[in-house]
Structure formats: C-alpha cells, structure tokens
Amino acid sequence: MKDHDHPQSGLAAFLQEPLARVLWSRRTRRVPRGYDVPAGSASYTSKAEPVPLSKLEEAILIAATGATGLTMPDRPWQDDETGDPIMSKPNLVMEGRTAGSPDNAQGTYFFMINDEGTYFIRHLPPPEEGIDPWSEAALLSRAEAAKVRLLDRRIDVPTGMRDFPAYLDSNRFLSNRPGTTVFFPVVDLSHQYINGLMYLLTQPEKARPALIDDRNFYRPAGTKKWIRNGFLNKDIKLPLGAVYQMRTEIEASLLVQNLFLTTEALGLGGWIHGAISPPVLMGDPKFRGRFGTMLGFDYVSPKWRFMDLLRWHTLPVRAMRHVRSHAVGLTHQGEALIRCKCPPNYASMAEAVDTVVAGKFGPGGLYKDAGIFERIYKGDFGARYLREAAEYEQDVIACCRDICTYIHETHGRFPAHCEAIHAPGIWLQAHHVEEEYYEQLFRNGLTERQRQHMSRWHP
C-alpha cells in the first residue's frame, strides 16, 4: 500500500481535494494557532500553543513550487507565407514547473523560513519517470535535496525594530512568528533579459524594433549602427523602460498563488502579504548599518558619473552612494546559488551574452541535447525539430551584445532600468489556524479542511 492510500491520512485527503472547491473556498486566514488578537471589543486570547508545520506539510509546499516534467515546443518554426525559418527555440530550459514562465526562463527562487532555520530552495530536475512524485517518501527526499540551510534560525529583525521599513503596520503582529512557515520569492531577471532581447531581434525584417534609452534622452541604446544598416527599423522605437523586466517577474506571482491554493487544499492558514521589505531582507547596503547583512545577497553599487545627475537625478554625496545598488547574486559557503548574467560575475556583458547563447546552442547546450527532445516528442519528431527549427543568426547575437554592453557602460550596471534580481515584495505565510478564533467571530471562518486538519495531520 502506498504512503497516501490510508483513508485517514492528511496526504490522502489533500490529493483528493477537488480544484473547484479549493478555488471557491480560498480565503486569507491570518491568525496562526496560539496567537492573540488585540482588537478592542473583538479581542481574542488563544488557549493553544503554536504548532509548526510537519516536514511533510512543508515538503508539499516545496513541491508546489518545483519542476513537474518536460514542456513541449508546440509552435510553428516556419513563416506561413514565405516558408522561411522563424525563431522557435526561445526556451531557456525545457523543464516545466507548476507555473508558467516567459520563454520558460524559470528565474524564480524561493527562500523558506521556519523555526529550525532559513533555507534557500534550489531548483531540482523533474522527478524521475516511474516514481510517484506524491508519495510521502518522494516528497520528503526531494524537499531535503532542495533545501540549503543558510541560517540555523528564523531570519528576522530585532523585536523592537518590527516596524517600517522592516514590517508594515498590523502585519508585524502575526507575520513570521514561531510556528509559521514563510516562503519568500526572488526572480533572476538578467538571464531572460538577454534571452528576451535576442527574441525581439529575431522578428521579421522591418519589424525589428530600434531600442532607445529613455534614461539617456531617448538616444539609440547601442543600436545606432544597426539602425543605419537597416537591421533595425528606425520607425519602431522601443524604450528600454518599456522593455523593463521582460515580464519575467510574473513567474513569482503565479507560483505564490499556487502556494496559496496548496495551503487551502491542506487545510492550513495562508496569507500573501508584504512583510520584511526586500531591501532589508536581502541585505541592501542602504540598510546593512541598521539591520545587518540578513540573507547576504551580493550587491553592486554603480560609481557615480556626471551624467547620472541628469539620467538618474543622483549626486556624488554619501547619502546617495548606494541609491542605485542592486543584487547580482547569492553565494553560500563558496557555492553560487544565484549568479546573474552581468559583471562582476562575468568580465563583460559580451561574455555574459555569449554564455546565454552557449547554454542554448553551444556544445552541451539545451538545443544540442537530442535526448531531451526524444523524451518530449514521439518517433523522430524531436530530431526534425532540432534540425529544422532556426537558431540565432550572428547579427542577432552581435546586436544583443552591443545593446547589453551599452547598458552596462552607460549606466554602470545591468540591467539599468530594472534590477538584476527582482523581489516582488510579498511572501506567503503558511500556518495552522487558530480555529476557535474563526469559529467565535466569523460566519464562514473555516472550511471542513481546516476543522479536520489537526486530526488528519497531527493525531
């Protein structure tokens, strides 16, 4: 009998929950088990003690952010009128995840915070074929393989500093408390920023946009040569500020919603909110003097240049020294957990661009691995796709190099109009709900999932 076949087990109940009912009953339940609610005449005092999530409960939540199998390149690779090849190899990876991603960039990483420590959740490949990914053994083993323990404690600011800019208003009373588990997402934008630029540059002739810099008087963004020779259309002007994050930031919000629905299906309390603000939590130099290094991201602070006065309205004064700093990576015990495609991680932006290209089309690159596409396609269709679908032309790569080099040389960082690592400013907290509080005050405070959770999961 499989681990989840027992009718009374919490895992069995979770796997049998209908999506429609979970969607319909999804509600924020902020109050964790064991916590009081000071609210005037509606105040509530808990008689319970906090109960942390079990390792299996957390493993299910980790699985809700992870890889699930291989995606399909179900797209045309020829122009329907001319028959010319079109770019149909935009993906950065082929491993699919529980939420979608532009060009399957999969740039979102999670941190998990609980009573035992603060963890980075590394990307794992999809489960091997033939293994039940929802068995208790598989869930627990994959969760342990994904977790990198950064701290042996729950990361937080000192008790007396639980106000802005660390926490917002009433959030500080119930957020990131003992017994709760928190998931905090960040998104590496740099990889897809380069990949997305190249995809823009593969548009049909006369439809390739001329990128301009709205932070530098709308001048060509390293594209003057390419406008003059007709590779880019001077009449289709695209500001770098409009390109912004290449939509890659959407990944995190989709994954957080998946986490929220998973907490509901488990019968837990779930709460998406802004808690420790990202610059504080990530260790931005502007806040290290007050809060310390926190998660300890690697930051770059561009040197001030005279034109920054006009481009970014900054001055060469101490107070503005780190105003344009941004995170470019995360290293733990010598391992680069996140390494953005930009200096100082690479000697130049040309090298960073070439690394992205090589990861797709170089020896050992994604689109040179026939075995992946044999697992995706039936018969020899994978080989046909690899043989017939186009790769980047050299002009596309060279133009992308020029744009990225321009951004870094002009603004002292890459990207300039958004961060290399974006934090949406939200996290999801999962906890056992304070049942009596919801029963006492609200007409529809709990579902049967919440009422039965403790007996199913913690008998």
Side-chain angles (χ1 to χ4, degrees):
M1 184 162 52
K2 292 182 180 179
D3 297 332
H4 53 69
D5 282 347
H6 194 281
Q8 298 302 315
S9 76
L11 182 56
F14 165 73
L15 293 173
Q16 292 165 10
E17 279 293 340
L19 175 61
R21 290 184 183 176
V22 172
L23 285 170
W24 202 252
S25 59
R26 184 219 58 80
R27 291 293 182 271
T28 294
R29 294 176 177 86
R30 295 173 178 82
V31 181
R33 180 184 178 92
Y35 286 87
D36 302 339
V37 181
S41 61
S43 293
Y44 172 83
T45 302
S46 175
K47 304 180 186 67
E49 292 292 327
V51 176
L53 269 60
S54 69
K55 289 191 179 299
L56 181 56
E57 289 170 297
E58 289 184 341
I60 292 171
L61 291 169
I62 290 171
T65 72
T68 55
L70 295 173
T71 61
M72 299 173 290
D74 50 346
R75 62 178 77 236
W77 62 69
Q78 282 182 300
D79 185 288
D80 63 341
E81 294 182 356
T82 65
D84 293 338
I86 59 176
M87 171 46 63
S88 54
K89 295 177 179 175
N91 282 18
L92 282 170
V93 299
M94 295 309 297
E95 289 85 359
R97 205 170 180 179
T98 57
S101 168
D103 297 341
N104 211 32
Q106 305 297 357
T108 302
Y109 296 88
F110 279 92
F111 295 83
M112 188 180 78
I113 306 165
N114 63 21
D115 292 347
E116 296 181 350
T118 300
Y119 303 85
F120 174 82
I121 306 300
R122 67 168 84 246
H123 291 175
L124 294 182
E128 294 181 13
E129 293 182 12
I131 294 178
D132 179 4
W134 291 107
S135 72
E136 182 173 340
L139 287 164
L140 290 171
S141 65
R142 285 180 63 80
E144 286 305 309
K147 292 191 298 186
V148 179
R149 197 178 196 184
L150 304 179
L151 300 170
D152 61 358
R153 57 180 172 81
R154 177 184 294 274
I155 195 168
D156 205 351
V157 298
T159 302
M161 302 171 74
R162 270 186 156 247
D163 50 18
F164 193 82
Y167 286 85
L168 286 170
D169 197 32
S170 62
N171 290 359
R172 68 185 186 273
F173 296 101
L174 300 172
S175 181
N176 196 26
R177 291 297 196 181
T180 67
T181 297
V182 174
F183 286 84
F184 170 69
V186 300
V187 190
D188 173 8
L189 301 179
S190 65
H191 202 162
Q192 174 58 7
Y193 196 100
I194 294 171
N195 189 59
L197 279 177
M198 285 191 281
Y199 197 28
L200 278 173
L201 298 174
T202 61
Q203 303 312 300
E205 190 175 352
K206 297 185 179 179
R208 301 185 196 105
L211 280 96
I212 57 176
D213 188 355
D214 42 330
R215 282 287 187 171
N216 193 22
F217 313 106
Y218 292 88
R219 297 172 64 186
T223 53
K224 185 182 295 184
K225 159 188 167 182
W226 302 97
I227 294 170
R228 283 177 177 169
N229 67 18
F231 182 74
L232 302 180
N233 188 338
K234 63 181 176 59
D235 296 323
I236 306 177
K237 293 182 171 60
L238 180 61
L240 290 173
V243 170
Y244 196 45
Q245 297 174 324
M246 290 287 181
R247 300 172 294 127
T248 313
E249 79 286 358
I250 295 170
E251 291 180 15
S253 298
L254 296 173
L255 287 162
V256 168
Q257 173 68 353
N258 282 354
L259 279 170
F260 199 179
L261 293 175
T262 303
T263 64
E264 182 64 39
L266 287 167
L268 296 169
W271 182 22
I272 299 173
H273 61 289
I276 303 180
S277 62
V280 172
L281 184 57
M282 295 169 67
D284 190 308
K286 292 186 284 294
F287 296 96
R288 286 188 179 184
R290 181 177 177 187
F291 297 102
T293 57
M294 299 295 279
L295 288 174
F297 276 78
D298 305 320
Y299 273 81
V300 163
S301 296
K303 293 181 179 179
W304 188 84
R305 307 172 190 188
F306 176 78
M307 289 302 292
D308 289 346
L309 178 64
L310 301 175
R311 293 170 181 149
W312 299 98
H313 305 163
T314 58
L315 294 167
V317 295
R318 183 177 180 83
M320 288 190 167
R321 182 175 53 175
H322 297 300
V323 72
R324 294 184 56 238
S325 62
H326 73 148
V328 296
L330 178 68
T331 305
H332 178 67
Q333 296 181 347
E335 180 186 1
L337 300 175
I338 304 175
R339 188 169 186 256
C340 294
K341 297 296 188 290
C342 60
N345 300 324
Y346 295 87
S348 66
M349 282 311 305
E351 181 183 335
V353 171
D354 290 346
T355 301
V356 173
V357 175
K360 296 178 70 171
F361 302 113
L366 173 64
Y367 292 101
K368 299 301 180 183
D369 187 346
I372 290 178
F373 295 91
E374 287 176 1
R375 291 162 58 199
I376 294 172
Y377 281 100
K378 294 180 178 180
D380 69 341
F381 285 109
R384 296 188 201 183
Y385 167 72
L386 292 177
R387 183 173 62 251
E388 297 175 19
E391 300 182 3
Y392 295 134
E393 296 179 357
Q394 288 305 308
D395 279 354
V396 168
I397 299 170
C399 185
C400 183
R401 282 197 205 104
D402 286 351
I403 294 168
C404 294
T405 298
Y406 163 87
I407 291 171
H408 189 261
E409 291 182 351
T410 303
H411 299 289
R413 55 177 255 187
F414 179 89
H417 299 65
C418 62
E419 311 92 338
I421 297 177
H422 168 70
I426 57 171
W427 65 17
L428 175 127
Q429 178 170 296
H431 52 248
H432 296 109
V433 296
E434 179 61 35
E435 296 174 42
E436 187 176 333
Y437 168 74
Y438 287 96
E439 295 284 26
Q440 183 175 307
L441 269 75
F442 301 100
R443 293 185 186 276
N444 298 295
L446 299 174
T447 66
E448 283 305 306
R449 287 187 293 274
Q450 278 96 36
R451 292 189 182 99
Q452 296 182 33
H453 178 88
M454 295 306 290
S455 62
R456 285 174 170 170
W457 287 92
H458 308 274

